[in-house]
Amino acid sequence: MNDNLLPFDIGPLNPSGYGLILSLVCFALVFFPLSRWLLPHAARIQEERAERIEGGMEHAERVRAQAHALREEREALLADARHDAARTRQRAHEEGTALIVAAREDGQRERERILAAGTASIEAERTVAVAALRADAEGWGRVLAERIIGEPLTIRSK
């Protein structure tokens, strides 16, 4: 009698009736304890891992959002600092220009004062020199005239 389940020969893949029953009993003896204790534990571990992964992803998303907010805040602070620096540079440039203009005006006033003082001093010295030269010229003229004429001259007052 052929104990095989299928009427044709396919080798070891065609189990006998007793072999099939024995296989089913062994499968039940292994499957039921595993499904009772091991599979729920494995499912619980898998759920915990999934929750951790999702929690980690949520945490990563929160951290990413915080980092983005901090980056925007930093960029806003940098933009404000750049604007302040530009205003400071502009103010310094304007103050420098004003100081240069004031120094130039002070220099012009000092120049005018020095020129006026120099002109007055030169004019006073010129007047003194002309008066001294006139006095000397009259004396030298009289001496020269006396030499040419050969006798002393008397000067009449005007």
Side-chain angles (χ1 to χ4, degrees):
M1 166 165 177
N2 187 2
D3 286 340
N4 290 334
L5 290 177
L6 299 173
F8 46 88
D9 185 27
I10 56 173
L13 295 178
N14 194 1
S16 66
Y18 297 113
L20 182 63
I21 291 173
L22 182 64
S23 297
L24 287 176
V25 169
C26 288
F27 177 76
L29 287 176
V30 171
F31 178 74
F32 287 117
L34 286 178
S35 67
R36 182 102 173 136
W37 294 289
L38 185 64
L39 292 177
H41 182 68
R44 201 171 39 249
I45 289 173
Q46 190 174 9
E47 287 175 8
E48 288 175 4
R49 285 182 181 173
E51 288 176 5
R52 285 182 186 169
I53 290 171
E54 289 176 9
M57 290 171 53
E58 290 172 0
H59 177 70
E61 190 61 36
R62 282 193 307 271
V63 168
R64 189 177 298 124
Q66 289 174 349
H68 183 68
L70 287 174
R71 185 181 321 120
E72 288 179 354
E73 182 180 336
R74 179 183 52 106
E75 288 174 0
L77 287 173
L78 285 173
D80 288 344
R82 285 185 196 110
H83 290 307
D84 287 344
R87 283 191 292 268
T88 301
R89 278 193 305 272
Q90 181 65 27
R91 191 176 326 114
H93 182 273
E94 290 171 358
E95 288 175 2
T97 303
L99 289 173
I100 289 171
V101 168
R104 187 174 288 142
E105 289 173 355
D106 288 345
Q108 285 293 100
R109 281 193 296 271
E110 184 67 19
R111 178 181 161 265
E112 294 298 326
R113 185 189 65 76
I114 290 171
L115 283 176
T119 303
S121 173
I122 290 172
E123 188 62 34
E125 289 176 9
R126 185 172 111 23
T127 305
V128 168
V130 166
L133 284 175
R134 281 202 176 136
D136 284 344
E138 288 178 12
W140 285 107
R142 187 174 338 135
V143 169
L144 185 59
E146 287 175 351
R147 278 192 185 169
I148 292 174
I149 296 179
E151 20 185 278
L153 294 177
T154 58
I155 298 187
R156 295 186 197 161
S157 39
K158 297 183 182 181

